[in-house]
Amino acid sequence: MMATPPSDFASRDPLSPQFWDERFERAFTPWERGAVPQALRRFVTASARPLTALTPGCGSARELALMCEAGWDATAIDFSGEAVARARALAPRWAEHIVQADFFDYAPPRPLDLVYEQAFLCALPRARRPDVARRWAELLGQGGLLAGYFFFDDTPKGPPFGIERAELDALLAPAFECVADEAVEDSIPVFAGKERWMVWRRKNGACGA
């Protein structure tokens, strides 16, 4: 369970940038790992070539430096101004790769090879899941990869809002096929025992194209 937020937070709507601004301003970010996770490190190291990558809902964007230092054309976006400011402060060398933008409106300047998922899907209310999956499919061409961490839980309250495995399969199967599904060894408490590292490949001519 995520730590209980202070009762005096003004915003209770995770669809609002102010919800996240307030939490970053007050350093209430129990969903953040504070370090680059192991499975992503292995994935980047094993990549046969540098990828053009997008991290939506990047928060502190600790993964961005790893990608950029590997030669990837990586961009991290968040609609929270406070999150973007924190990410830029943590990685000043790559500040121009950190952009304040809404995932549903953002248009990448170049075609993407990869969308990295890290606590973005589970940050949004369940009703937005079809929109997220549709946008993932729109952003990735044939063979493009959706890779990252998926949170499985049935607790009604959130964020984080968990998903059932069958629901995730149904959500992504029209446009993606799962090509990797692994246990996570270095989960932080809020996700411990409830997340998987997964890689989904964009199908050819699938819906959402």
Side-chain angles (χ1 to χ4, degrees), residues 196-208:
R196 305 283 294 179
W197 165 264
M198 306 180 78
V199 181
W200 298 78
R201 180 182 292 124
R202 182 74 162 85
K203 296 176 182 177
N204 181 26
C207 66

Side-chain angles (χ1 to χ4, degrees), residues 151-175:
F151 175 59
F152 298 100
D153 195 20
D154 58 3
T155 302
K157 292 186 177 181
F161 298 98
I163 192 169
E164 297 285 353
R165 176 57 193 265
E167 183 184 353
L168 180 67
D169 288 344
L171 190 69
L172 296 183

Side-chain angles (χ1 to χ4, degrees), residues 59-191:
S60 296
R62 295 181 186 275
E63 301 89 350
L64 180 70
L66 172 73
M67 296 178 184
C68 291
E69 287 165 4
W72 289 22
D73 180 6
T75 302
I77 65 171
D78 205 296
F79 72 168
S80 163
E82 289 295 328
V84 168
R86 179 171 175 175
R88 287 174 175 167
L90 287 170
R93 180 182 176 189
W94 310 109
E96 66 183 29
H97 294 256
I98 303 166
V99 178
Q100 185 172 358
D102 188 319
F103 168 71
F104 298 101
D105 299 325
Y106 178 72
R110 289 164 293 282
L112 296 176
D113 301 308
L114 172 78
V115 174
Y116 174 60
E117 163 60 21
Q118 172 59 78
F120 179 66
L121 181 65
C122 69
L124 300 179
R126 293 176 173 85
R128 294 309 306 269
R129 286 174 179 165
D131 299 328
V132 174
R134 188 178 306 112
R135 188 64 183 138
W136 281 337
E138 291 170 352
L139 288 168
L140 291 165
Q142 179 187 356
L145 299 176
L146 168 66
Y149 295 86
F150 292 83
F151 175 59
F152 298 100
D153 195 20
D154 58 3
T155 302
K157 292 186 177 181
F161 298 98
I163 192 169
E164 297 285 353
R165 176 57 193 265
E167 183 184 353
L168 180 67
D169 288 344
L171 190 69
L172 296 183
F176 295 91
E177 59 178 337
C178 184
V179 296
D181 180 1
E182 304 170 6
V184 178
E185 313 124 4
D186 57 342
S187 298
I188 60 174
V190 66
F191 300 125

